[in-house]
Amino acid sequence: MLFLPARKLFLSSSSKTFLLLKSSTAPATYACLHSLHDCSSTSPRTLRFYSSSRFFLHLSYQRASRCSHTPYSATPVPRQFSGVNDESLGKQFIDDKKLMILRKKLQEIGIDGSSCTPGRYNGLVCPSCKGGDSHEKSLSLSVTEDGGAAVWTCFRAKCGWKGATTRAFAGVKSTYLTKSKIKIKESRRTITEESIGLEPLSSKVAIAFTYHRNGKLVSCKYRDTAKRFWQEANTEKIFYGLDDIKEASEVIIVEGEMDKLAMEEAGFKNCVSVPDGAPPKVSAKELPTEEKDTGFQYLWNCKDYFVKVSRIILATDGDKPGQSLAEELARRLGKERCWRVHWPRKDHISSFNDANEVLMFLGADAVRVAIEKAELYQIQNLENRCS
């Protein structure tokens, strides 16, 4: 098992694996690398799997005073919190009056901000979609450190509700009633590993999947052990693993970052993952223009990478949303150069759902066989003419 000093801060040039660290104040504390599914133990396979991946961890201190720090935060004024190390974390200020007004405004539109900590991202149940059937906490709410303003986004594919308050004394702007309108193009942030506080491996973590283009960090997506996701705001949408297909003539597309890593474990590096999951169903409308195709902006942002690709293997999930995603991708990429993966049977009733599940239960060989047996994508119009 790999052990690292929990408070030692460094970035490794030879490894791209970092963690979101929740650290105690004891300098002698040590942390270990664990499986996402079982934080009490790990196996050699789990260590090999994660050592070849590209995820990072974000630094987050949580103390008795309930203070927090993010390196790119604003610097408001009123009162200072106690119990914070100024040299390592910086000064923290919260205006109680502004925070009270802000929470009241959020409550009016259905967001319960009573337990949210200023200066960090908070996971909540979205009042628009209610978190779906699983009631997941898909709404990411960020409150400024002075408690004066907030922004939020729901990361469920069926919802996508987002909005912001300008300041606590001003109004609220959101897409709650205007989701169908075209979004105003937002300015994109430039981020680095240092600016978002990525740190080496530790326990009690949230994995950070880093999105690179030509070696430069352009976005970052996080996942904790409860499988809750959130992303850095106002960053460019691209495929995860984009640099791995820069010179590829054959590309595999999967539905999640863990599936991309499973493909690497099986020996397929020419693989990318979509950043936002799958749509609930195939759209009955004609394909929108590039500017209006908001749900697939990541594809348009990476279109140059697919110009010379002759074979595209769609290895999305086997459920209905996964099938819908495969169809939507094929419509945009050209069905004549697409192949479809069918995951192996689990029993006489069901099949495995994705690459990561096949890897865990059947091993890397089964993943390779499934990719090798991919079938040419069916073109409906051609089938109709031939029948």
Side-chain angles (χ1 to χ4, degrees):
M1 187 175 292
L2 176 65
F3 287 86
L4 295 173
R7 297 195 49 162
K8 185 176 181 181
L9 308 180
F10 67 92
L11 293 175
S12 171
S13 60
S14 61
S15 171
K16 294 184 179 178
T17 306
F18 291 74
L19 296 154
L20 173 57
L21 171 64
K22 278 194 174 181
S23 171
S24 68
T25 57
T29 303
Y30 282 79
C32 62
L33 172 63
H34 292 305
S35 165
L36 280 178
H37 303 289
D38 182 2
C39 288
S40 63
S41 65
T42 186
S43 65
R45 169 176 287 184
T46 303
L47 288 173
R48 288 199 306 273
F49 184 80
Y50 291 128
S51 65
S52 65
S53 60
R54 293 175 202 68
F55 41 72
F56 292 70
L57 300 181
H58 193 284
L59 178 63
S60 174
Y61 287 82
Q62 184 79 22
R63 302 210 176 158
S65 62
R66 298 185 63 80
C67 299
S68 64
H69 172 73
T70 51
Y72 48 84
S73 58
T75 312
V77 179
R79 68 180 177 82
Q80 182 178 356
F81 264 66
S82 60
V84 179
N85 187 326
D86 287 346
E87 293 183 359
S88 60
L89 298 181
K91 295 181 178 180
Q92 306 292 310
F93 298 93
I94 296 178
D95 187 321
D96 290 333
K97 184 176 180 180
K98 287 183 180 180
L99 183 59
M100 179 181 67
I101 296 173
L102 177 66
R103 286 174 171 170
K104 182 178 179 181
K105 287 185 174 295
L106 292 175
Q107 190 68 42
E108 290 175 355
I109 59 172
I111 298 178
D112 181 10
S114 58
S115 62
C116 293
T117 304
R120 62 178 294 182
Y121 285 90
N122 302 270
L124 304 170
V125 174
C126 175
S128 177
C129 66
K130 311 300 181 185
D133 295 335
S134 61
H135 303 291
E136 62 178 314
K137 294 183 178 181
S138 58
L139 187 74
S140 177
L141 173 69
S142 175
V143 179
T144 58
E145 291 208 0
D146 68 341
V151 294
W152 60 89
T153 300
C154 177
F155 289 104
R156 289 191 70 244
K158 293 182 180 180
C159 183
W161 177 43
K162 62 173 59 178
T165 64
T166 49
R167 301 304 297 172
F169 296 99
V172 176
K173 297 179 180 179
S174 82
T175 58
Y176 197 69
L177 298 176
T178 58
K179 293 180 187 176
S180 60
K181 294 185 178 180
I182 301 174
K183 298 186 297 182
I184 298 175
K185 191 171 183 179
E186 301 171 330
S187 59
R188 291 172 179 162
R189 292 167 51 212
T190 299
I191 60 175
T192 64
E193 283 86 351
E194 292 82 2
S195 71
I196 58 177
L198 298 181
E199 294 296 333
L201 293 170
S202 171
S203 60
K204 298 181 180 179
V205 303
I207 291 180
F209 299 98
T210 53
Y211 285 66
H212 293 84
R213 183 199 289 274
N214 296 323
K216 181 181 178 182
L217 181 66
V218 297
S219 186
C220 193
K221 180 178 177 181
Y222 305 94
R223 165 184 160 163
D224 63 15
T225 53
K227 294 186 178 181
R228 292 173 296 200
F229 293 88
W230 64 98
Q231 294 178 324
E232 292 292 332
N234 302 329
T235 54
E236 183 183 14
K237 291 283 188 181
I238 61 173
F239 282 101
Y240 176 65
L242 183 62
D243 284 351
D244 289 339
I245 64 167
K246 192 171 183 179
E247 303 296 334
S249 60
E250 181 176 300
V251 172
I252 302 171
I253 300 179
V254 294
E255 194 174 321
E257 292 85 358
M258 296 303 292
D259 296 323
K260 152 68 176 170
L261 300 178
M263 284 295 179
E264 286 196 16
E265 186 76 357
F268 298 103
K269 193 174 181 181
N270 58 324
C271 176
V272 291
S273 169
V274 301
D276 294 328
K281 62 181 180 179
V282 178
S283 174
K285 301 178 181 179
E286 293 184 0
L287 285 179
T289 61
E290 178 178 343
E291 293 75 18
K292 295 183 179 181
D293 198 10
T294 55
F296 290 85
Q297 277 301 302
Y298 61 87
L299 183 57
W300 294 108
N301 291 340
C302 304
K303 62 183 179 181
D304 292 343
Y305 286 75
F306 291 88
V307 172
K308 297 181 180 180
V309 174
S310 59
R311 188 168 186 250
I312 301 170
I313 300 176
L314 302 176
T316 55
D317 291 3
D319 55 17
K320 288 185 177 180
Q323 295 172 25
S324 298
L325 175 61
E327 176 66 17
E328 293 289 5
L329 289 172
R331 292 174 68 193
R332 290 162 173 80
L333 293 166
K335 294 183 179 181
E336 67 281 355
R337 57 174 177 164
C338 290
W339 271 252
R340 184 74 170 100
V341 170
H342 300 282
W343 300 114
R345 301 287 298 179
K346 185 182 297 185
D347 49 44
H348 67 284
I349 298 176
S350 61
S351 299
F352 289 100
N353 191 53
D354 55 38
N356 190 40
E357 189 176 27
V358 173
L359 177 69
M360 290 191 297
F361 288 93
L362 301 182
D365 287 342
V367 176
R368 287 191 286 270
V369 170
I371 297 300
E372 291 166 359
K373 289 186 176 180
E375 300 177 355
L376 185 64
Y377 203 89
Q378 295 182 351
I379 303 176
Q380 190 66 40
N381 291 337
L382 180 60
E383 289 179 345
N384 292 338
R385 289 198 300 267
C386 295
S387 60

